[in-house]
């Protein structure tokens, strides 16, 4: 998982990267926790702006079960910046070929190097999404649902992050007690 400084560097790079399509795909992955394959196969007919949901059809899902992805403000900003609506079936289109992306590997290497994160995999954006949720106190059950995991054991790998958050929260009490002790001394 990325620390705060690394996450800031990545997001800054994505917002300023010259290839807007690929940077938007990465921002969308970071905002939704979706797998890259699911994102690249997303069609405009899968999007419901009113309910802010993006449907992942069963044939595009790893679990082979259809699911709906809730679109937060960050994801909606990415959607609103796309200029492919009413022009193409797919959300993200490679401008050179006029076809949907099948991969973003080459551009991803350039992005992660520009962000000085040379070992960051594109799938790590999904893990970062989950880590951010857990560290904000979101239950593993909800994280499981958002990621589309069929087994809770898959999601439980993020539970150590919750423990870090719990320790941090508990340490705040220690800080207050330490301050009180210093004032009474």
């Amino acid at each position: 998982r990325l620390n705060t400084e690394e996450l800031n560097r990545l997001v800054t790079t994505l917002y300023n990267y010259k290839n807007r399509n690929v940077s938007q795909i990465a921002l969308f992955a970071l905002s939704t926790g979706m797998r890259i394959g699911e994102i690249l196969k997303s069609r405009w007919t899968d999007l419901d702006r009113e309910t802010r949901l993006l449907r992942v059809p069963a044939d595009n899902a790893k679990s082979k079960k259809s699911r709906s992805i809730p679109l937060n403000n960050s994801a909606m900003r990415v959607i609103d910046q796309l200029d492919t609506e009413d022009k193409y079936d797919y959300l993200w289109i490679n401008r050179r070929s006029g076809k949907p992306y099948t991969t973003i590997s080459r551009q991803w290497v350039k992005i992660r190097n520009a962000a000085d994160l040379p070992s960051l995999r594109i799938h790590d954006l999904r893990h970062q999404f989950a880590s951010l949720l857990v560290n904000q106190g979101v239950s593993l059950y909800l994280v499981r649902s958002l990621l589309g995991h069929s087994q809770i054991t898959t999601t439980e790998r993020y539970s150590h992050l919750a423990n870090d958050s719990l320790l941090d929260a508990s340490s705040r009490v220690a800080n207050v007690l330490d301050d009180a002790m210093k004032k009474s001394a």
Side-chain angles (χ1 to χ4, degrees):
R1 108 186 149 135
L2 300 174
N3 64 37
T4 302
E5 191 267 324
E6 291 168 331
L7 180 61
N8 289 343
R9 243 183 11 244
L10 175 62
V11 171
T12 299
T13 300
L14 291 173
Y15 275 107
N16 295 304
Y17 192 68
K18 63 184 177 190
N19 187 325
R20 294 302 309 145
N21 282 339
V22 174
S23 61
Q24 287 172 325
I25 291 166
L27 278 168
F28 198 74
L30 194 55
S31 299
T32 63
M34 290 176 68
R35 294 175 180 90
I36 290 302
E38 295 171 339
I39 293 171
L40 298 181
K41 293 176 183 175
S42 295
R43 297 174 181 260
W44 285 105
T45 54
D46 298 328
L47 175 67
D48 185 334
R49 283 183 186 272
E50 189 175 314
T51 60
R52 294 174 62 141
L53 292 173
L54 181 64
R55 190 176 68 82
V56 177
D59 57 335
N60 292 350
K62 184 178 177 182
S63 67
K64 299 301 178 198
K65 293 180 182 176
S66 178
R67 66 188 173 109
S68 292
I69 308 296
L71 300 176
N72 58 33
N73 290 341
S74 178
M76 288 305 296
R77 271 193 302 278
V78 172
I79 294 286
D80 290 341
Q81 292 173 8
L82 298 178
D83 63 356
T84 57
E85 193 169 12
D86 299 324
K87 298 176 189 170
Y88 298 94
D89 289 338
Y90 292 87
L91 275 66
W92 283 276
I93 298 295
N94 183 324
R95 297 295 181 211
R96 289 184 183 174
S97 68
K99 296 180 180 178
Y101 283 92
T102 56
T103 183
I104 60 167
S105 299
R106 285 186 180 156
Q107 287 297 316
W108 178 248
V109 170
K110 293 177 183 179
I111 288 171
R112 71 183 191 191
N113 288 338
D116 195 25
L117 299 165
S119 61
L120 186 68
R121 301 169 305 143
I122 193 73
H123 192 72
D124 291 336
L125 301 180
R126 180 173 164 82
H127 295 291
Q128 186 65 35
F129 173 80
S131 298
L132 291 169
L133 289 170
V134 170
N135 283 326
Q136 293 298 312
V138 175
S139 74
L140 291 180
Y141 175 79
L142 288 176
V143 174
R144 172 190 176 194
S145 296
L146 288 167
L147 294 178
H149 289 157
S150 57
Q151 301 292 321
I152 191 67
T153 53
T154 307
T155 313
E156 285 175 344
R157 72 177 119 189
Y158 300 106
S159 65
H160 72 280
L161 299 170
N163 292 337
D164 291 346
S165 296
L166 292 172
L167 179 59
D168 180 57
S170 178
S171 295
R172 293 178 194 182
V173 171
N175 293 338
V176 170
L177 296 174
D178 288 347
D179 288 345
M181 192 173 9
K182 288 176 188 173
K183 291 177 183 173
S184 67

